[in-house]
Amino acid sequence: MKFSKGLPLLAVGLCVPGVALRALHLRGGFEAGSGLPLPGNGWLWCCIALFAVCAVLYAGLARPLAARRAQPFEQLLGTDSPLFRVAAVIAGLLLLVGGVFYLYLTATTVEQDAVGWARPVEWVYALVTLLVGACAIGLAKAQGHEMTATSAKLTLPPLLWSCLHLLVTYRMTCTDPKLPSFAFGLVGDVLVVLAFYQLARLLYDKPQPALLAFFAALAATVCLSDLGGYGLAWLMGVRTVVWPAKMVLRGMLSAAACLLLLAELSVLTAGRVQQAQGVSGGAPDDATI
């Protein structure tokens, strides 16, 4: 169990080679002018190999947490840590600001040949982003106290948001011939969905803290490496791959969501145990879980 405590630091630390490899992939893996992927680029396989190694390492470090499946939410994620609160509040503020900016881009940007349902979905996505920002701030307070049926619902909007986030991103990239330049971001978005599902599952289904730790750590490494690699490539003067403004913003929103997941992961792996009063492991059905 003591090795699991290093999982959040490892997830962040492995972003360093992840950012470097992703930047090298973007620099040498795409054709100048068209931005189409070049066959036989070795940096792509280096990125895949790194994330595969990360998955194996994280699975091994998260496995001991499976023994804590019987513990209630307050003992798994209850904390009064100021660092957790700061991280959760920062993540919430980033999501709030990003949601406002996405509303602005949606209102002022007209996409050519977009399907009729795309724009309403983006409006909903932006509004839910604002809601999730507020929920992240609410979780910073709720996890320091006894969870009630009302505060438990704060774990549900992030799950809804992650699904909408994946839908919007996939809708804008699935028919793009430059899909390989977005592929790692899509994989990261899938992992974010799975991580938030496991977070909500702690309260509304059979808890699987090991799966929460695994998906949260892997989502953070993949998403932060993808966004950081694009930023580093841009600073290196690489212009073969240029993301639209909304794509960059969604990458930043993914990073903000991963900050919240890393904060939850740090509490989960720290092994803080608090006395729970009248706690059950199932879904909230009364005033107190």
Side-chain angles (χ1 to χ4, degrees):
M1 188 74 74
K2 64 179 180 180
F3 295 108
S4 299
K5 295 181 180 180
L7 187 53
L9 292 177
L10 187 62
V12 174
L14 287 175
C15 288
V16 176
V19 167
L21 291 175
R22 181 64 168 135
L24 291 171
H25 172 226
L26 291 172
R27 186 180 71 171
F30 299 89
E31 190 178 72
S34 67
L36 295 174
L38 295 173
N41 181 261
W43 294 116
L44 170 63
W45 296 106
C46 289
C47 289
I48 293 173
L50 174 65
F51 294 142
V53 170
C54 289
V56 173
L57 286 174
Y58 298 165
L61 291 173
R63 186 176 180 181
L65 295 171
R68 302 179 62 191
R69 285 177 294 186
Q71 293 182 351
F73 188 92
E74 284 83 358
Q75 294 183 13
L76 288 171
L77 290 177
T79 179
D80 288 319
S81 169
L83 291 178
F84 168 78
R85 293 193 175 191
V86 168
V89 169
I90 290 175
L93 291 175
L94 290 174
L95 287 164
L96 286 171
V97 173
V100 171
F101 193 36
Y102 204 93
L103 280 173
Y104 169 76
L105 290 178
T106 302
T108 58
T109 303
V110 178
E111 297 180 45
Q112 299 296 327
D113 302 323
V115 293
W117 55 265
R119 197 171 185 83
V121 168
E122 289 202 87
W123 280 105
V124 173
Y125 167 73
L127 292 173
V128 173
T129 301
L130 296 175
L131 176 61
V132 172
C135 287
I137 297 173
L139 281 171
K141 179 180 180 180
Q143 288 182 216
H145 301 82
E146 190 175 9
M147 294 291 287
T148 65
T150 300
S151 57
K153 293 176 182 177
L154 294 174
T155 61
L156 298 179
L159 175 57
L160 172 61
W161 172 86
S162 63
C163 294
L164 284 171
H165 181 79
L166 177 61
L167 174 63
V168 171
T169 301
Y170 180 74
R171 197 275 305 174
M172 296 186 69
T173 59
C174 63
T175 59
D176 196 321
K178 305 175 212 174
L179 179 60
S181 66
F182 309 128
F184 287 113
L186 283 171
V187 172
D189 291 341
V190 172
L191 293 169
V192 169
V193 172
L194 294 171
F196 278 124
Y197 167 72
Q198 294 300 332
L199 177 62
R201 188 177 182 180
L202 294 181
L203 287 164
Y204 289 94
D205 200 352
K206 295 179 180 178
Q208 294 287 349
L211 290 179
L212 170 59
F214 171 75
F215 287 124
L218 193 56
T221 300
V222 174
C223 289
L224 296 178
S225 295
D226 183 54
L227 179 64
Y230 179 79
L232 179 58
W234 183 268
L235 293 175
M236 294 166 61
V238 176
R239 300 296 184 269
T240 52
V241 175
V242 179
W243 289 357
K246 284 185 176 180
M247 177 66 73
V248 176
L249 180 55
R250 283 196 302 275
M252 293 179 178
L253 292 173
S254 292
C258 287
L259 176 59
L260 176 60
L261 289 172
L262 284 171
E264 301 286 3
L265 179 62
S266 66
V267 176
L268 178 64
T269 56
R272 295 186 180 91
V273 177
Q274 298 182 350
Q275 286 292 338
Q277 302 173 354
V279 181
S280 66
D285 56 2
D286 203 42
T288 304
I289 298 179

